[in-house]
Amino acid sequence: MRKILMSITVLAASVSALAQSPETFKPYRQTALRMPSVPLVVSDPYFSIWSPYDKLTDGETRHWTDDEKPLEGLLRVDGKVYRFMGAKEKTLLESIVPMATEEPWAGLYTRTTPSDGWEKPDFDAKGWKEGKAAWGSDGLPAVNTRWSATNSDLFVRRTVDIKAADLQEDLYLVYSHDDVFEIFINGTKVATTGETWREGVKLHLDGELKGLLKPGKNVIAAHCHNTTGGAYTDFGVFKNVALNNENVITAQQKSVSVLATNTYYTFACGPVELDVVFTAPMLINDYDLLSSPVNYISYQVRSVDNKVHDVQFYLGASTFLAVNKTNQPTISSTVINKGVKYLKTGTIEQPILAKTGDGICIDWGYFYLPNINGEVCLDSDNDIKASFFSDGTLPQGKTEIVNRKPSTSPTLAYVHDFGKVAQASSYALLGYDEIEDIEYFYNRYKGYWAHNGSVTIFDQFDKLNRAYSGIMERCRAFDKMIYDDGVAAGNVKYAEILSGSYRHVIAAHKLFEDKDGNLLFFSKENNSNGCVNTVDLTYPEAPLFLAYNPELQKAMMTSIFDYSLSGRWTKPFAAHDLGQYPRANNQVYGGDMPLEEAGNMITLAAMLTKIDGNTTYVNKYWDILKTWADYLVENGQDPANQLCTDDFAGHWAHNANLSIKAIMGVAGFAEMARIKGDAATADKYLKTAKDMAVKWEQTARDGDHYRLAFDRENTWSQKYNMVWDKLWNLNLFPSNVMQKEIKYYLGKQNKYGLPLDCRKDYTKNDWIMWTAAMSHDNKTFLKFVDPLWKYMNETESRVPTSDWYDTKTGLMVGFKARSVIGGFWMKVFADKLANANGSK
């Protein structure tokens, strides 16, 4: 079976030195799906740049955390400058009223709800305390007054002095908050948020907003409500000192299409059209490219009036790409390697692998921009722009810049001067060397691409430059495969969902090889708790890897097996995680998920064994698997009140879906035993699984559907774990159970999809696609696909697709940029598996 499955996916590994093909700039298919956030430059959880807008010119490019990681794109045509990427107005902010990250300012605060008018300048704040900013939880930036209580409020008043000359500046109010936040200037509310946490939000004080300030004393007041977890409040006023040429024209975006490895944009820039393609060459069977920290940006100009035009292409990168917080001092320099000039930037501190957890950006290693196909320059943004606006060239620049203030942050610039052309194209490369990428069982490793340090970042740039044409051809072929498989398994909408999700999934991982030669592929639990290699991410994302490269599925599981095999994890079920990214040394999650993780690991191991047609992979771990299977037998029929992957929805004992997971795990062990040649063990555990399934059907039955919990009448939940019974053709559950559930679910769908269960309107879209794959025909399956496409196309939560959202409002509840949406491929995998079985 494995040979049949894998033969579909193998792409030619040859590279060519052909000239840039016109096909480079034409997507395999134009896509209509408006992604919640568009992948631009992505490699791993740290080097990850997105555009959360309809248009690439609607704002700054960002990391998935929402931190600004500015890339700027300009095209100069016959002396006129068009902006095709980045915010309309460049911001280099210098403080007038500093935030706590610059100096610990004093303010009045209270944690009890004050009387009306507390935000007004003339309010008598008698009884309020004086404190130093920032207010918040331990460990957050510049916290000087601790505040972290769950479900608590903070009210702050800050009196600031504004000079008349300040009011002539281009002003911004900047604030950081966690969670619900509102802020006032002299009694007028100027911003309010929902339940979210963001750092360095910039509010442009133009027009009426600037008019709220006056020369002399002003009061800025803020209210923050902490729901749970971290808490934070800080704010200040800044002036923009960037050079902004009001004559820069916003390019007209004509189209955007997002395919598996490429994002295609086309812009109208006066008498020429500009095509820009962002490529992350993440070919799933080429580990050097899958792990590569280098991406391409290809660009083409085409005259639309049959005349030649004088054209210069500009790409600018900020030092913010290499920091966790914008106030971190950086050092930027030029480096020459084998005749190629590289611009390089990183923090002065270089705290390699020092920070762990969620919601952080990398602040070690270096971002690189080479002069391949163009010229590069390191200098102040204002000096670079003055030169480019004037004649399309770059200034001489500096060889090194040490910078300690965000407002004086230099720019790394690249310019390609086409000269006078009617049509021409080229490409730039940009990349990030993390120096050390991950720690696993107290050993530190670089990404797979570096081959234990024998390949340098300069070697990698050189390799991808020389292989550009061949790699782009292979990426286009891969895009075609992902899209066509989606159409075959569903329809165009399903194909667009998959195409737009592929880089999202891959970029949430780090691929490397350990000292024993094991291939390891670790996820980061983005926007959850930052855990590394979490088993209940490995499980939902599995369909993508089972369909196209099962070796990567093993690479997510081997370390969990070895954790138990080493004796460091001794419990009779699988660990939840291996630590907090990027340090994978031991489980850090506060509670175990016994049935969840044991069931996940055994089920996936069984699927891998069936694909391989042998037990070679699992033989080493056989005793561990048996221990876990026995735990499922003993505890899985009627689960106690224990954690599971859906624990955010509440902990209920007697969870019917968790029981199915245990049953399928027991059956999976039986399947492995049969392939191993141990018929007696196989028969024993399969009989147990069947007996458990019969009892499950009797105790979960609730009229026209099955319950969320065995002891709760009139409840329901998605039974996505039952899909394995269909995939394996075991018929553990009566044939009508699955279709009874599917029919019931169709009556429970909302505008944006099927809720997770009866308790809330929110859902998990990875589980929706698992559930949908249980449908008996394609027509029914597509009834689940349409609302998911609609959610992704319409949600106002502009983040890399959230997997946890409200099915009525389409708004994110939590979680974003997580690898679990690899589960969208369950129908593709099911079809490939069925075809492989049918061909035997």
Side-chain angles (χ1 to χ4, degrees):
M1 182 189 302
R2 176 173 182 170
K3 183 177 180 182
I4 296 167
L5 281 172
M6 295 297 291
S7 66
I8 304 171
T9 71
V10 174
L11 299 173
S14 63
V15 297
S16 70
L18 298 177
Q20 197 168 21
S21 167
E23 295 298 307
T24 297
F25 301 98
K26 297 179 182 178
Y28 169 64
R29 290 288 185 271
Q30 292 280 350
T31 59
L33 175 60
R34 182 230 65 179
M35 295 297 294
S37 191
V38 178
L40 301 177
V41 178
V42 293
S43 172
D44 68 7
Y46 288 141
F47 192 36
S48 184
I49 304 174
W50 302 70
S51 176
Y53 312 103
D54 290 349
K55 297 179 179 179
L56 193 55
T57 53
D58 282 350
E60 297 284 19
T61 54
R62 296 177 178 271
H63 189 256
W64 62 260
T65 57
D66 204 42
D67 287 73
E68 289 185 0
K69 302 294 176 183
L71 293 174
E72 185 175 24
L74 303 171
L75 192 73
R76 188 174 182 273
V77 183
D78 299 331
K80 293 184 178 180
V81 178
Y82 298 83
R83 176 178 52 88
F84 67 85
M85 176 168 58
K88 180 177 181 180
E89 185 171 78
K90 184 79 172 179
T91 55
L92 287 175
L93 300 185
E94 187 175 288
S95 63
I96 292 174
V97 179
M99 295 175 71
T101 49
E102 188 174 340
E103 65 178 57
W105 55 269
L108 297 177
Y109 75 97
T110 181
R111 291 177 183 155
T112 59
T113 303
S115 57
D116 291 347
W118 66 271
E119 74 280 9
K120 297 183 181 300
D122 58 357
F123 178 76
D124 183 4
K126 184 178 181 180
W128 289 41
K129 297 179 181 179
E130 182 174 291
K132 290 292 183 83
W135 286 259
S137 306
D138 290 338
L140 294 180
V143 168
N144 288 291
T145 305
R146 193 175 185 279
W147 164 58
S148 61
T150 296
N151 198 30
S152 65
D153 292 272
L154 175 75
F155 298 83
V156 178
R157 288 171 55 87
R158 180 181 188 182
T159 300
V160 302
D161 218 1
I162 302 291
K163 298 180 176 61
D166 294 334
L167 296 176
Q168 303 305 310
E169 301 284 355
D170 183 22
L171 298 183
Y172 283 77
L173 176 66
V174 181
Y175 55 90
S176 300
H177 66 94
D178 186 356
D179 296 294
V180 186
F181 185 79
E182 55 184 348
I183 190 164
F184 303 79
I185 296 178
N186 289 326
T188 298
K189 184 185 293 187
V190 295
T192 186
T193 74
E195 184 178 349
T196 185
W197 54 96
R198 292 184 64 185
E199 183 171 342
V201 180
K202 293 186 288 224
L203 176 65
H204 195 192
L205 299 181
D206 56 356
E208 293 182 3
L209 291 180
K210 184 189 280 191
L212 297 174
L213 294 169
K214 61 183 182 181
K217 301 294 184 183
N218 294 262
V219 172
I220 302 176
H223 166 220
C224 191
H225 175 77
N226 182 43
T227 54
T228 187
Y232 197 75
T233 293
D234 188 20
F235 51 87
V237 178
F238 294 75
K239 62 181 179 180
N240 184 16
V241 296
L243 173 66
N244 284 295
N245 189 326
E246 61 185 21
N247 294 320
V248 173
I249 304 164
T250 300
Q252 178 191 352
Q253 184 173 304
K254 299 187 69 175
S255 67
V256 57
S257 291
V258 183
L259 293 170
T261 63
N262 292 288
T263 296
Y264 298 83
Y265 284 97
T266 296
F267 303 91
C269 301
V272 306
E273 286 191 347
L274 169 68
D275 302 310
V276 182
V277 184
F278 296 87
T279 305
M282 295 173 158
L283 301 180
I284 203 163
N285 288 311
D286 186 326
Y287 299 147
D288 284 328
L289 290 177
L290 188 74
S291 63
S292 176
V294 176
N295 277 207
Y296 299 116
I297 300 179
S298 305
Y299 47 90
Q300 174 179 249
V301 292
R302 295 173 285 108
S303 172
V304 295
D305 61 2
N306 296 317
K307 298 178 182 179
V308 297
H309 296 279
D310 188 26
V311 180
Q312 293 82 38
F313 175 91
Y314 172 94
L315 175 66
S318 167
T319 60
F320 292 175
L321 270 64
V323 302
N324 182 40
K325 302 301 177 187
T326 57
N327 64 322
Q328 288 182 276
T330 59
I331 182 167
S332 306
S333 61
T334 60
V335 179
I336 307 294
N337 184 274
K338 296 180 181 178
V340 177
K341 181 180 180 180
Y342 293 82
L343 303 183
K344 169 185 176 183
T345 189
T347 62
I348 293 175
E349 182 186 6
Q350 288 297 304
I352 297 175
L353 298 179
K355 293 180 175 64
T356 64
D358 194 20
I360 60 174
C361 300
I362 193 167
D363 58 2
W364 66 89
Y366 296 92
F367 169 79
Y368 288 87
L369 180 65
N371 70 345
I372 296 170
N373 299 323
E375 298 297 329
V376 294
C377 173
L378 172 67
D379 212 328
S380 73
D381 191 74
N382 285 354
D383 286 349
I384 287 173
K385 293 291 179 54
S387 180
F388 183 75
F389 291 162
S390 174
D391 60 11
T393 65
L394 292 171
Q396 183 176 349
K398 308 292 193 299
T399 58
E400 182 176 286
I401 298 177
V402 175
N403 183 66
R404 301 184 184 278
K405 291 177 64 178
S407 61
T408 57
S409 175
T411 289
L412 290 73
Y414 167 98
V415 166
H416 183 121
D417 184 0
F418 283 112
K420 294 184 177 181
V421 294
Q423 181 169 337
S425 63
S426 192
Y427 60 92
L429 300 93
L430 62 173
Y432 202 105
D433 184 10
E434 297 179 14
I435 302 177
E436 290 178 337
D437 294 42
I438 200 155
E439 184 174 291
Y440 170 53
F441 289 169
Y442 303 101
N443 291 295
R444 293 186 170 189
Y445 299 97
K446 290 185 71 66
Y448 182 94
W449 65 272
H451 293 277
N452 299 315
S454 64
V455 177
T456 70
I457 189 66
F458 305 115
D459 296 333
Q460 188 71 0
F461 271 107
D462 180 61
K463 175 184 175 181
L464 265 71
N465 180 38
R466 287 185 294 104
Y468 171 79
S469 296
I471 289 173
M472 292 300 288
E473 289 172 12
R474 294 168 63 199
C475 285
R476 183 177 176 83
F478 187 82
D479 291 353
K480 179 181 185 299
M481 181 183 68
I482 294 294
Y483 188 95
D484 288 351
D485 283 353
V487 171
N491 61 6
V492 167
K493 286 185 176 180
Y494 184 48
E496 292 185 346
I497 290 171
L498 301 183
S499 296
S501 301
Y502 178 77
R503 275 173 287 167
H504 171 132
V505 178
I506 301 298
H509 295 84
K510 172 62 66 177
L511 182 70
F512 67 105
E513 198 171 61
D514 73 5
K515 61 183 178 61
D516 298 318
N518 292 309
L519 183 71
L520 300 172
F521 192 48
F522 285 1
S523 64
K524 178 180 180 183
E525 196 169 346
N526 292 338
N527 199 231
S528 182
N529 63 358
C531 278
V532 58
N533 209 32
T534 302
V535 174
D536 53 294
L537 267 66
T538 297
Y539 181 70
E541 68 176 300
L544 170 61
F545 303 101
L546 293 173
Y548 295 111
N549 190 346
E551 295 305 312
L552 289 174
Q553 189 63 49
K554 294 175 185 175
M556 289 185 265
M557 298 168 61
T558 297
S559 58
I560 298 294
F561 280 129
D562 284 345
Y563 191 23
S564 287
L565 190 66
S566 70
R568 297 180 59 209
W569 181 262
T570 59
K571 297 180 182 181
F573 45 81
H576 168 272
D577 62 82
L578 290 179
Q580 276 193 314
Y581 197 91
R583 297 209 294 262
N585 297 318
N586 52 264
Q587 178 173 308
V588 297
Y589 194 65
D592 296 328
M593 296 187 180
L595 292 173
E596 176 72 41
E597 311 304 20
N600 291 344
M601 288 292 290
I602 296 175
T603 301
L604 293 174
M607 189 67 257
L608 289 167
T609 298
K610 292 168 79 69
I611 290 172
D612 287 348
N614 60 66
T615 59
T616 300
Y617 175 65
V618 298
N619 283 339
K620 180 180 178 181
Y621 310 115
W622 193 259
D623 291 344
I624 294 169
L625 286 164
K626 184 178 184 303
T627 297
W628 294 349
D630 289 341
Y631 182 90
L632 297 179
V633 170
E634 184 176 348
N635 299 279
Q637 182 71 70
D638 187 8
N641 189 0
Q642 60 175 249
L643 294 176
C644 68
T645 190
D646 301 326
D647 59 354
F648 55 84
H651 308 153
W652 279 15
H654 320 296
N655 185 317
N657 189 45
L658 189 57
S659 178
I660 296 172
K661 179 165 291 188
I663 293 167
M664 294 313 307
V666 174
F669 185 70
E671 290 291 281
M672 287 188 284
R674 195 167 306 284
I675 294 171
K676 189 178 176 68
D678 186 350
T681 297
D683 291 344
K684 173 186 173 182
Y685 281 87
L686 185 60
K687 181 180 184 303
T688 299
K690 287 182 175 179
D691 291 345
M692 293 173 75
V694 169
K695 186 173 181 180
W696 183 95
E697 197 280 333
Q698 294 169 349
T699 52
R701 190 189 307 148
D702 199 9
D704 60 351
H705 69 284
Y706 293 87
R707 297 174 181 176
L708 162 61
F710 295 129
D711 62 336
R712 308 265 186 147
E713 294 182 1
N714 301 314
T715 61
W716 65 272
S717 65
Q718 291 188 43
K719 308 300 191 301
Y720 51 82
N721 288 308
M722 199 179 290
V723 71
W724 299 108
D725 195 31
K726 177 181 178 180
L727 267 56
W728 296 348
N729 295 312
L730 293 179
N731 300 312
L732 298 177
F733 297 89
S735 60
N736 67 326
V737 171
M738 237 179 271
Q739 295 321 310
K740 181 186 287 189
E741 283 289 275
I742 291 293
K743 181 179 179 181
Y744 187 80
Y745 298 153
L746 291 174
K748 294 297 181 180
Q749 288 209 106
N750 291 321
K751 180 179 181 180
Y752 296 115
L754 176 67
L756 182 65
D757 58 43
C758 59
R759 291 174 289 183
K760 299 280 187 178
D761 289 326
Y762 59 58
T763 194
K764 290 285 276 82
N765 51 26
D766 49 334
W767 296 142
I768 290 178
M769 288 294 94
W770 279 51
T771 296
M774 299 191 303
S775 300
H776 69 283
D777 60 25
N778 203 53
K779 181 179 179 181
T780 304
F781 168 72
L782 292 176
K783 291 180 180 178
F784 295 96
V785 170
D786 283 353
L788 173 58
W789 189 95
K790 188 177 183 66
Y791 155 69
M792 294 174 70
N793 193 58
E794 297 180 2
T795 180
E796 296 176 14
S797 299
R798 304 306 298 270
V799 300
T801 304
S802 172
D803 54 285
W804 181 19
Y805 65 93
D806 189 291
T807 58
K808 289 185 176 178
T809 66
L811 296 176
M812 166 183 165
V813 175
F815 305 160
K816 59 183 175 182
R818 301 204 315 160
S819 63
V820 298
I821 66 172
F824 291 174
W825 273 264
M826 181 56 91
K827 178 63 159 55
V828 170
F829 174 60
D831 287 359
K832 287 183 181 293
L833 192 63
N835 291 337
N837 287 331
S839 66
K840 280 191 167 183

